[in-house]
Amino acid sequence: MKISTEQSELSGEVSVPGSKSHTIRALLLAAMSDGVCKISNPLPSEDCLSTFKALPLIGAQADAKPKLWTVYGAGENLHLPNDVVNVGNSGSLLYFLSPIAATFSGWSVFTGDASIRKRPVHHVVDALSQLGANACTSVPGTSTCPLLIQGPISAKNKITTSGTVSSQYISGLMMAALLLKGTLQIELTDPKETPYLTMTQKWLESVGARVHISADFKHIEVEGPVKIKAFDTTIPSDWEAVAFPLVAALITNSDITIKDIDGSGTQGDDAIVGVLTSLGADIVWDKEAKTLRVRGLKKSSNGIGRLSTENLPGKELHVNLSGYPDAICAVAAIACFTEGTVYIEDISVCRRKETDRIKVLHEELAKLGAVTEEGEDYFVIHGHSPVRVDGSANPEFSLHGASVESYKDHRVAMALACMGLALGKKEKIVVNDAECCAVSFPDFFKVMGGIGAKFYEEHAE
């Protein structure tokens, strides 16, 4: 699907979907529970649906109604996956479920779509091997799926791993510890994406587990086994999804309210609010009402809404995204509309997501006239605001329309599409393979259209 954009002004209220990270954790823990669990406001995205469909493979059952999923936990009947686990495009499912499967005797096989079969699993192989599993990739000399695992693993050995490739397999090991006898100890030499480890810790503690994570995240202990009782939960809104209407409003003449905002602190991506306000963004977060009011350009409180790095040290923004690397696409997009230089740092993990996001952003933003630099673990944007300090048009702002590739990466697609809403009247961005947004934000274009975003599907002649 090709989506074209048009200059837009956004207004009204909008709700974003539930959190993917919370939904997948809830599903797997519910599958491990002994009883019936009800999950309200789950995210019905492709990744979450892949997890939903995988539950029967380990002995659980589930049914879905709008806004409510019910999981009939397997409890003591939880077992080795009885078929090949195809995770689709979900790295979370791959890295979470493979350690859980490794707690059982026998072989399990994990694979996925073309994108998943390019993502590394050598760190999973190494970690599970340290715990006594026989783990390998099916193709000799490769470090990607299909992944083969023969369990069972044991908590007797301590794991030492870097944690740089991803935090997801660490969360998977923490969940697997609930099925093991003894205390699983994990040593991380260079932990990344640490807010997600805290999220997993809170989930495990909510089902009765004893978890300890050191202040520097280098030492983790999880005591098992734990018999999980049935639970009901409501999935909070997804900050990774909040980022896109937030950015779209700030770069257009807009005034919107994003509802049902998660203020629990369990999603590291909420740090984007502080990043954007440091640039002068007009954002009001009412934690009691669970809303974000976002005003951009002429609709901002000062009637100008200029974003700039001029009040920051060295007149540059340095933002470390190691804790929430999925924000790279949204931050890069808004940096193109910011006066000054933005350095996005400590993001080597972004090269191992659905795409090499550093490389893709460098190439696709260049098509729009943006000036960027890429490094192994950093990305630099030399941006310009469309308005001067006095609110007049800035002649140095030169972004323009183009046909761009999403590379079937949902966050790349949403970021590029939002940028198209803020260009000149005669400019448009055409995003190819835009249907991939459904991976994390089903009906993204319809939802955004409800607050005035002009997105159009282009049909082949």
Side-chain angles (χ1 to χ4, degrees), residues 200-369:
T200 302
Q201 176 184 15
K202 290 183 179 296
W203 266 106
L204 297 189
E205 289 174 341
S206 75
V207 298
R210 296 183 63 180
V211 182
H212 170 73
I213 299 181
S214 63
D216 60 5
F217 288 90
K218 290 187 175 182
H219 181 72
I220 300 172
E221 292 185 0
V222 183
E223 295 182 24
V226 175
K227 290 186 177 181
I228 302 175
K229 296 180 181 180
F231 60 86
D232 295 342
T233 190
T234 298
I235 302 300
S237 57
D238 191 350
W239 268 101
E240 294 169 1
V242 168
F244 296 104
L246 173 59
V247 165
L250 290 174
I251 60 179
T252 56
N253 295 316
S254 299
D255 183 353
I256 68 169
T257 297
I258 308 174
K259 301 187 299 181
D260 304 319
I261 294 296
D262 177 20
S264 68
T266 58
Q267 299 183 60
D269 300 73
D270 61 6
I272 194 173
V273 173
V275 171
L276 297 179
T277 53
S278 76
L279 298 173
D282 187 347
I283 305 172
V284 178
W285 185 354
D286 186 333
K287 293 190 177 182
E288 191 170 315
K290 299 181 179 180
T291 61
L292 278 182
R293 186 180 181 187
V294 189
R295 290 177 285 183
L297 296 178
K298 293 180 180 180
K299 297 292 182 68
S300 64
S301 55
N302 66 9
I304 297 174
R306 184 173 186 263
L307 303 177
S308 172
T309 63
E310 58 196 4
N311 293 322
L312 297 173
K315 297 185 177 182
E316 299 172 341
L317 172 64
H318 290 259
V319 54
N320 187 309
L321 289 189
S322 64
Y324 53 111
D326 284 335
I328 182 176
C329 299
V331 174
I334 202 164
C336 294
F337 294 83
T338 298
E339 192 66 33
T341 301
V342 174
Y343 293 81
I344 304 176
E345 300 167 334
D346 204 356
I347 51 170
S348 59
V349 68
C350 292
R351 293 194 180 277
R352 298 181 290 272
K353 293 291 185 176
E354 283 82 342
T355 56
D356 180 340
R357 285 179 175 157
I358 301 175
K359 179 176 182 289
V360 165
L361 288 169
H362 179 62
E363 293 176 352
E364 300 309 306
L365 293 178
K367 295 177 182 178
L368 307 177

Side-chain angles (χ1 to χ4, degrees), residues 45-59:
S45 70
E46 291 180 7
D47 283 8
C48 296
L49 290 172
S50 292
T51 305
F52 185 92
K53 294 173 184 176
L55 300 188
L57 299 180
I58 56 175

